[in-house]
């Protein structure tokens, strides 16, 4: 009994299970089987996660999300569908992005030209270019999770993956 | 799992322990190996922790499309942060917490908090069969299938909090309480008592319907 009890490390360990604990444990196990049968990770989705290993990129610095209007902004009354404002930061590099129904608008700071890839998953991406002021626009809003990979001079920065 | 083997209980063949295909103690090692370029280690992580991530998005009741996107976002972000994670052995909690925050954002953004369409879930077409499903297809398991369906139905009709907690607790392999805490934003200490309570409730429902 005691070895079983150890496996429930977060529960009080008096060395024994009551009948009720045993019963609920068995019920939980049965429910676990049911979940594996009726609500498993969809096969295609599992494969996407396996393929995501290709996104592992140690050469790039990760620009972390430091502002997300969805979380950090005070809602403006009357504005029903405000644009999503995002700010990513990797040390001195800042990327501001606005996602609207029409597409992406953004700026790289400090201002300067950059080649930008809009990553849409392990395989798909679109290319954009930031002008001398670091400004860029993209024609269509990303569907699903996206990240921006920016090459500014010698440096590569990738924004944290996010669902737009 | 052999199709011809029938068991009197659904949990036969699964050890009644908090272990599974990927021992949680190995997670840190797998993360390190993946960070060093080992694709097989990454695959093991996906298989070992994927069901936990899936349970988190399911627990939050997102639509199928949203659930898929949050699941992907969590894994894309882990791939991106590989080698930069401070406590690799806690990657399960990291993923669970990442998925939870993305779920909450989606819910906030669109109020698309629609419960899972039970009928659709239960009448899932037969492609994409898991080995477990194939076992259930066998004739001798028909009664078992019915029992599983009833069990799941009663589970889905539990209150929101119990449904959430149990959905995460029943991912495979069983998550640690730290992972459950990260998945749902509840204190580790309250999980045990809540778990008992919710399972008691489920049992009472099943008894009332004569399923147990």
């Amino acid at each position: 009994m005691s070895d079983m009890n150890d496996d429930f490390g977060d529960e009080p360990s008096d060395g024994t299970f009551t009948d009720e604990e045993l019963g609920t444990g068995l019920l939980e196990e049965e429910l676990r089987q049911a979940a594996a049968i009726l609500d498993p990770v969809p096969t295609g989705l599992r494969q996407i996660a396996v393929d995501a290993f290709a996104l592992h990129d140690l050469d790039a610095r990760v620009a972390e999300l430091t502002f997300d209007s969805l979380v950090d902004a005070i809602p403006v009354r009357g504005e029903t569908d405000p644009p999503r404002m995002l700010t990513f930061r990797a040390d001195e590099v800042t990327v501001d992005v606005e996602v609207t129904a029409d597409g992406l608008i953004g700026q790289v700071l400090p201002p300067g030209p950059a080649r930008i890839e809009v990553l849409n998953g392990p395989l798909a991406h679109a290319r954009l270019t930031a002008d001398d002021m670091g400004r860029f626009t993209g024609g269509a809003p990303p569907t699903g999770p996206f990240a921006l990979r920016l090459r500014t001079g010698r440096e590569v920065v990738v924004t944290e993956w996010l669902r737009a | 799992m052999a199709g011809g083997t029938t068991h009197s209980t659904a949990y036969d063949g699964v050890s009644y322990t908090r272990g599974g295909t990927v021992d949680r103690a190995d997670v840190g090692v797998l993360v390190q190996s993946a960070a060093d370029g080992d694709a097989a280690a990454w695959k093991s992580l996906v298989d070992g922790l994927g069901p936990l991530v899936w349970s988190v998005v399911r627990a939050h009741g997102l639509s199928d499309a949203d659930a898929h996107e949050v699941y992907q976002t969590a894994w894309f972000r882990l791939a991106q942060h590989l080698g930069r994670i401070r406590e690799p052995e806690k990657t399960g909690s990291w993923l669970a917490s990442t998925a939870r925050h993305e779920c909450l954002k989606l819910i906030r953004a669109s109020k698309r908090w629609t419960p899972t369409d039970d009928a659709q879930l239960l009448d899932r077409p037969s492609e994409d069969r898991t080995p477990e499903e194939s076992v259930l297809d066998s004739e001798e398991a028909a009664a078992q299938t019915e029992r599983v369906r009833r069990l799941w139905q009663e589970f889905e009709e539990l209150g929101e909090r119990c449904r959430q907690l149990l959905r995460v607790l029943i991912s495979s392999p069983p998550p640690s309480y730290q992972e459950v805490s990260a998945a749902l934003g509840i204190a580790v200490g309250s999980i045990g008592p809540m778990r008992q309570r919710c399972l008691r409730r489920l049992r009472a429902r099943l008894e009332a319907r004569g399923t147990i």
Side-chain angles (χ1 to χ4, degrees):
Chain A
M1 263 332 203
S2 62
D3 58 334
M4 286 170 80
N5 197 63
D6 285 343
D7 293 323
F8 289 82
D10 299 314
E11 293 180 353
S13 68
D14 56 3
T16 55
F17 270 144
T18 64
D19 285 348
E20 191 199 346
E21 282 168 340
L22 262 182
T24 52
L26 295 179
L27 182 58
E28 182 187 299
E29 204 49 63
E30 199 173 351
L31 204 52
R32 176 169 296 111
Q33 294 273 301
I37 293 162
L38 294 172
D39 191 18
V41 182
T43 311
L45 204 52
R46 175 194 168 271
Q47 190 56 45
I48 292 172
V50 170
D51 294 342
F53 188 55
L55 297 171
H56 175 41
D57 180 2
L58 273 185
D59 297 331
R61 280 199 294 154
V62 177
E64 310 230 356
L65 182 67
T66 56
F67 176 87
D68 184 343
S69 58
L70 214 48
V71 177
D72 305 312
I74 297 158
V76 177
R77 198 158 35 162
E79 201 172 5
T80 50
D81 193 15
R84 180 91 173 269
M85 316 282 275
L86 305 163
T87 300
F88 302 92
R89 187 166 219 149
D91 299 328
E92 76 292 349
V93 179
T94 301
V95 187
D96 286 318
V97 184
E98 194 178 317
V99 186
T100 69
D102 300 325
L104 290 177
I105 307 170
Q107 182 160 29
V108 188
L109 295 166
R115 283 181 296 150
I116 301 170
E117 289 167 286
V118 185
L119 307 179
N120 220 201
L123 303 169
H125 64 267
R127 290 177 196 284
L128 306 174
T129 311
D131 65 17
D132 292 343
M133 298 295 291
R135 294 170 303 197
F136 60 91
T137 55
T143 54
F146 81 103
L148 302 178
R149 182 190 273 136
L150 304 99
R151 291 164 202 279
T152 61
R154 276 177 227 162
E155 191 169 45
V156 181
V157 173
V158 182
T159 62
E160 267 193 318
W161 280 90
L162 199 75
R163 188 195 170 283
Chain B
M1 204 180 285
T5 325
T6 49
H7 296 295
S8 55
T9 52
Y11 43 82
D12 272 353
V14 173
S15 68
Y16 180 55
T17 61
R18 302 239 144 204
T21 51
V22 171
D23 193 317
R24 287 299 193 262
D26 293 339
V27 166
V29 176
L30 286 172
V31 169
Q32 192 52 54
S33 301
D36 292 340
D38 182 349
W42 174 261
K43 208 169 171 178
S44 298
L45 285 172
V46 171
D47 287 333
L49 297 174
L52 170 65
V53 178
W54 184 242
S55 78
V56 178
V57 298
R58 285 313 220 186
H60 285 86
L62 301 180
S63 72
D64 269 4
D66 287 345
H68 281 231
E69 291 186 359
V70 169
Y71 180 91
Q72 290 176 32
T73 303
W75 284 102
F76 292 176
R77 222 185 264 186
L78 178 63
Q80 175 174 55
H81 283 88
L82 266 183
R84 301 178 175 102
I85 292 185
R86 252 172 258 152
E87 297 175 288
E89 69 281 2
K90 291 186 184 164
T91 297
S93 298
W94 190 95
L95 278 168
S97 165
T98 300
R100 170 174 179 256
H101 282 112
E102 290 301 308
C103 286
L104 294 180
K105 272 195 205 178
L106 274 189
I107 290 163
R108 192 186 301 210
S110 52
K111 307 284 177 217
R112 272 183 280 187
W113 198 343
T114 51
T116 311
D117 188 337
D118 297 354
Q120 193 198 340
L121 192 66
L122 295 172
D123 296 337
R124 193 187 289 264
S126 59
E127 67 236 7
D128 260 25
R129 321 279 301 160
T130 62
E132 290 86 350
E133 275 180 308
S134 303
V135 169
L136 289 184
D137 284 344
S138 61
E139 218 175 285
E140 62 264 37
Q144 183 64 25
T145 307
E146 185 50 33
R147 183 182 163 79
V148 168
R149 280 174 193 273
R150 280 196 199 165
L151 176 63
W152 195 253
Q153 195 175 341
E154 293 301 332
F155 157 71
E156 291 264 314
E157 285 169 15
L158 285 172
E160 186 61 30
R161 282 168 69 86
C162 279
R163 210 180 50 75
Q164 274 201 325
L165 175 71
L166 291 181
R167 184 62 191 88
V168 173
L169 275 170
I170 61 172
S171 61
S172 299
S176 70
Y177 280 6
Q178 282 74 21
E179 287 164 344
V180 176
S181 165
L184 298 173
I186 52 179
V188 166
S190 67
I191 295 170
M194 275 176 68
R195 169 182 170 274
Q196 283 296 328
R197 232 173 107 136
C198 292
L199 286 168
R200 267 204 307 270
R201 263 185 218 178
L202 178 61
R203 174 170 294 276
R205 292 185 71 102
L206 291 165
E207 277 165 358
R209 306 245 172 182
T211 304
I212 280 187

